[in-house]
Amino acid sequence: MIHQLLAEFMGTALMIIFGVGVHCSEVLKGTKYRGSGHIFAITTWGFGITIALFIFGDVSINPAMVLAQCILGNISWALFIPYSVAEVLGGVVGAVIVWIMYADHFAASAGEISPITIRNLFSTAPAVRNLPRNFFVEFFDTFIFISGILAISQVKTPGILPIGVGLLVWAIGMGLGGPTGFAMNLARDMGPRIAHAILPIENKADSDWQYGIIVPGIAPFVGAACAAVFMNAFFGIN
């Protein structure tokens, strides 16, 4: 169990290092890839998740996936909270590592980039704030995400799962990510949001806990639960 908890922690941290790192690289002043755009960022998220899955193997790196696996009977319910906590902590540590790496660029950007934009390097935010619609977007994105992973997992070709999940993330980001930033994962959003709250970032915005708890916090769990029930009932996947 300790080995698996560490794998969930490190796998989530690595995912966040790639993901938050690419946002910092694309936005902060003085980086080599500033202004590269969202295709650059979304592609890095997809590739980063693929690499994390290749390295750490059979990990969820997402509390929503842990919930789905508990519903399907593949993970004990007793492990739901420990796994989820390990993943959120991994998200915090991954974001802190990125902040250390980009500390000079954060300092250079302090007077040029708004505090809200800085916060959004760490956590997701809606393009248009409408909590019921934002909730639905994250619910549906996660439903497609978890359903897709469960379907891909049925293909037993070695190496197909990490690659398939990366392509799935890429497709969801391109097609469905515009309204909310497609968190689909409490650890992906809450971990870096906590890091943003505790780090000594100059002139930082509030952490917007209302949005963080309701939309990227709760909606992925609802989407994952519905995906697990649907994939089991319709396709017999468990």
Side-chain angles (χ1 to χ4, degrees), residues 13 15-31 33-38 40-42 44-45 91-92 94-110 112-126 180-183 187-197 199 201-208 211:
M15 173 182 69
I16 295 302
I17 288 168
F18 280 119
V20 174
V22 74
H23 291 313
C24 291
S25 184
E26 198 272 327
V27 171
L28 293 176
K29 184 176 180 180
T31 73
Y33 306 121
R34 191 181 195 195
S36 297
H38 279 76
F40 179 76
I42 292 168
T44 303
W45 269 107
V92 175
V96 170
I97 290 171
V98 172
W99 177 77
I100 293 170
M101 294 174 69
Y102 283 88
D104 293 335
H105 301 281
F106 275 101
S109 302
E112 178 180 323
I113 298 176
S114 77
I116 291 176
T117 299
I118 294 295
R119 181 188 68 204
N120 293 346
L121 298 177
F122 291 86
S123 54
T124 60
T180 60
F182 75 114
R188 177 271 171 270
D189 185 272
M190 191 62 68
R193 196 179 293 268
I194 292 170
H196 172 267
L199 285 169
I201 299 170
E202 183 180 346
N203 190 31
K204 63 183 172 183
D206 70 90
S207 296
D208 196 4
Y211 180 84

Side-chain angles (χ1 to χ4, degrees), residues 167-187:
L167 291 173
L168 178 63
V169 170
W170 195 82
I172 292 173
M174 294 294 189
L176 306 175
T180 60
F182 75 114
M184 308 184 297
N185 183 341
L186 173 72

Side-chain angles (χ1 to χ4, degrees), residues 37-166:
H38 279 76
I39 294 176
F40 179 76
I42 292 168
T43 303
T44 303
W45 269 107
F47 288 175
I49 290 172
T50 291
I51 296 304
L53 292 175
F54 267 124
I55 293 173
F56 294 102
D58 187 21
V59 290
S60 296
I61 58 175
N62 183 344
M65 176 53 82
V66 177
L67 176 63
Q69 295 293 348
C70 288
I71 292 171
L72 293 171
N74 299 321
I75 294 177
S76 167
W77 282 102
L79 298 176
F80 172 67
I81 291 178
Y83 277 28
S84 298
V85 170
E87 290 158 359
V88 172
L89 291 176
V92 175
V93 170
V96 170
I97 290 171
V98 172
W99 177 77
I100 293 170
M101 294 174 69
Y102 283 88
D104 293 335
H105 301 281
F106 275 101
S109 302
E112 178 180 323
I113 298 176
S114 77
I116 291 176
T117 299
I118 294 295
R119 181 188 68 204
N120 293 346
L121 298 177
F122 291 86
S123 54
T124 60
V128 177
R129 192 182 185 93
N130 179 332
L131 290 181
R133 198 179 313 280
N134 302 152
F135 185 96
F136 175 76
V137 169
E138 281 296 323
F139 155 78
F140 190 74
D141 286 1
T142 309
F143 177 83
I144 297 297
F145 183 50
I146 300 299
S147 296
I149 294 174
L150 292 174
I152 295 166
S153 71
Q154 301 306 296
V155 181
K156 302 307 180 184
T157 304
I160 199 67
L161 182 62
I163 294 170
V165 173

